[in-house]
């Protein structure tokens, strides 16, 4: 199992506060650095003298900027040609999907934190990127602005086909799209924080959690029945695809934030456990983001 300590991953993500992208413009230098970091997590003494492991593709360079003011954002946007910029919040499951996929595809990106707890999603400059005021938003090359995780992932799949997120087989492709849709249309929107706040204000303090659990479990029942036929190590076999990218962050949030008992959903639980072993998933996890509240 490629388990990496939290402090190592955090160290990796945070170090880009001070290191410029140009420093790592040699991709092989970056890959060597990250794999040594992984290696040092497992075998600290001789990590720097050993060749890096090759079993997993390597999570990408993630430059970091915190979104703090409109003017900073405007100038950042104008200087962001020819690179991927992700507007994200550490605890957002929708952002997590995109971080996971970017890592699986080995794409470098700059991380711009939008602090949802401080209401930065309502900043007029951010609303120019997404009038709905939601993260994630991906900016590619300074002019392509995509403001929805599903659309972002399909865009990445078409523009950066390396390490595909959709299998070639039409049926498995459709199952991946279906599972992704269940998460993004029939689960996540029903437990988003703004909705739960509204439910609690109208119906009482515990009603938000009850409502969220009901809808998550309904969605998980459907996903369990759907994927039991297709799952291997991952949702539709032994490779990570789009269904896993949507499922794993959703399961993490369901278990940790809403205390869903995952033993009721053994297929989903096993899929999640497989994802947890991947360095690309570990690097995309909330606690390893530069804006994580520690
Ligand atoms: N369909 C959108 C949903 C995005 C979404 O709900 N984002 C949440 C975080 S996971 C958000 O930004 N919430 C801010 C708010 O509720 O004010 C997507 O998949 O990107």
């Amino acid at each position: 199992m490629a388990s990496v300590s939290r402090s190592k991953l955090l160290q990796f993500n945070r170090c880009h506060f001070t290191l410029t992208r140009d420093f790592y413009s040699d991709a092989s230098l970056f890959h060597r650095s990250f794999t040594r970091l992984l290696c040092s997590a497992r075998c600290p003494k001789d990590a720097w003298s050993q060749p890096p492991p090759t079993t997993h593709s390597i999570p990408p360079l993630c430059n970091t900027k915190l979104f703090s003011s409109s003017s900073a954002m405007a100038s950042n946007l104008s200087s962001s040609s020819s690179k991927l910029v992700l507007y994200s919040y550490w605890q957002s499951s929708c952002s997590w999907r995109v971080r996971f996929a970017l890592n699986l595809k080995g794409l470098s990106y700059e991380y711009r934190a939008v602090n949802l707890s401080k209401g930065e999603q309502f900043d007029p400059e951010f609303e120019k990127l997404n009038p709905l005021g939601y993260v994630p938003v991906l900016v590619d090359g300074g002019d392509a602005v995509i403001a929805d995780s599903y659309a972002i992932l399909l865009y990445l799949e078409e523009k950066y086909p390396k390490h595909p997120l959709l299998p070639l087989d039409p049926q498995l492709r459709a199952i991946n799209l279906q599972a992704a849709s269940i998460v993004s249309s029939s689960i996540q929107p029903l437990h988003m924080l703004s909705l739960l706040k509204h439910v609690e204000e109208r119906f009482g303090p515990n009603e938000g959690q009850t409502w969220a659990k009901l809808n998550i479990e309904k969605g998980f029942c459907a996903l369990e029945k759907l994927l039991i036929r297709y799952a291997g190590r991952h949702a539709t076999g032994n490779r990570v695809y789009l269904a896993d990218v949507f499922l794993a962050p959703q399961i993490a949030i369901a278990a940790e934030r809403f205390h869903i008992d995952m033993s009721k959903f053994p297929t989903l639980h096993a899929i999640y456990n497989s994802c947890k072993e991947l360095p690309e998933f570990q690097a995309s996890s909330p606690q390893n983001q530069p804006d994580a509240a520690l």
Side-chain angles (χ1 to χ4, degrees), residues 92-95 97 116 121-122 133-136 147-150 184 188 192-194:
S92 148
S93 64
C94 306
S95 304
R97 295 166 195 161
L116 301 187
Q121 69 275 33
F122 306 119
Y134 296 153
V135 290
D148 180 277
S149 64
Y150 209 119
S184 75
Q188 184 273 336
M192 61 188 305
L193 289 178
S194 48

Side-chain angles (χ1 to χ4, degrees), residues 5-291:
S5 77
R6 179 178 173 280
S7 64
K8 288 283 175 193
L9 286 168
L10 198 56
Q11 178 193 341
F12 168 71
N13 276 339
R14 290 200 164 194
C15 72
H16 297 293
F17 263 126
T18 46
L19 296 174
T20 66
R21 193 183 168 88
D22 291 341
F23 179 81
Y24 277 128
S25 58
D26 174 354
S28 64
L29 171 62
F30 165 71
H31 282 184
R32 281 200 306 278
S33 302
F34 186 79
T35 47
R36 280 177 178 150
L37 184 64
L38 287 179
C39 195
S40 71
R42 287 179 235 144
C43 44
K45 281 200 179 128
D46 54 359
W48 292 91
S49 59
Q50 297 295 317
T54 53
T55 46
H56 292 294
S57 63
I58 304 305
L61 168 61
C62 160
N63 266 347
T64 306
K65 283 201 175 93
L66 297 188
F67 171 64
S68 54
S69 75
S70 319
S71 57
M73 185 173 164
S75 67
N76 286 339
L77 255 183
S78 61
S79 66
S80 61
S81 60
S82 75
K83 66 179 175 189
L84 291 167
V85 176
L86 180 67
Y87 291 83
S88 166
Y89 181 58
W90 66 294
Q91 285 183 306
S92 148
S93 64
C94 306
S95 304
W96 191 351
R97 295 166 195 161
V98 177
R99 299 192 299 252
F100 186 18
L102 286 164
N103 290 352
L104 288 168
K105 285 186 169 288
L107 293 168
S108 302
Y109 64 99
E110 183 177 305
Y111 189 103
R112 301 235 176 113
V114 180
N115 191 328
L116 301 187
S117 69
K118 288 189 181 160
E120 288 181 354
Q121 69 275 33
F122 306 119
D123 184 293
E125 285 300 315
F126 182 73
E127 284 183 340
K128 283 184 194 164
L129 297 177
N130 186 0
L132 282 170
Y134 296 153
V135 290
V137 174
L138 184 82
V139 180
D140 187 2
D143 59 351
V145 178
I146 304 133
D148 180 277
S149 64
Y150 209 119
I152 291 170
L153 293 173
L154 294 183
Y155 169 83
L156 291 175
E157 183 66 357
E158 286 183 16
K159 181 135 186 216
Y160 305 98
K162 207 173 150 202
H163 302 288
L165 296 175
L166 287 169
L168 285 176
D169 177 82
Q171 188 184 357
L172 289 185
R173 241 176 137 79
I175 297 303
N176 272 274
L177 294 170
Q178 183 180 347
S181 252
I182 291 174
V183 173
S184 75
S185 310
S186 303
I187 301 180
Q188 184 273 336
L190 300 172
H191 68 66
M192 61 188 305
L193 289 178
S194 48
L195 177 78
L196 297 190
K197 192 166 168 273
H198 181 73
V199 169
E200 287 178 2
E201 279 167 9
R202 289 216 48 182
F203 302 106
N206 296 322
E207 295 308 312
Q209 280 276 329
T210 309
W211 166 263
K213 282 178 96 157
L214 186 80
N215 286 291
I216 293 169
E217 293 198 342
K218 184 178 173 194
F220 280 3
C221 279
L223 284 163
E224 180 75 22
K225 284 182 190 154
L226 175 72
L227 295 176
I228 199 164
R229 280 184 58 200
Y230 299 97
R233 190 170 160 67
H234 294 289
T236 55
N238 291 322
R239 272 205 61 160
V240 187
Y241 285 122
L242 194 74
D244 304 279
V245 166
F246 276 77
L247 268 174
Q250 178 62 66
I251 294 171
I253 300 271
E256 284 157 32
R257 198 180 297 163
F258 298 105
H259 312 294
I260 302 289
D261 174 8
M262 287 308 297
S263 65
K264 292 195 280 187
F265 310 105
T267 308
L268 303 186
H269 198 199
I271 292 168
Y272 176 53
N273 284 337
S274 300
C275 284
K276 278 205 299 188
E277 293 182 6
L278 301 172
E280 295 87 345
F281 183 71
Q282 293 165 14
S284 68
S285 299
Q287 70 274 18
N288 295 318
Q289 302 317 301
D291 56 333

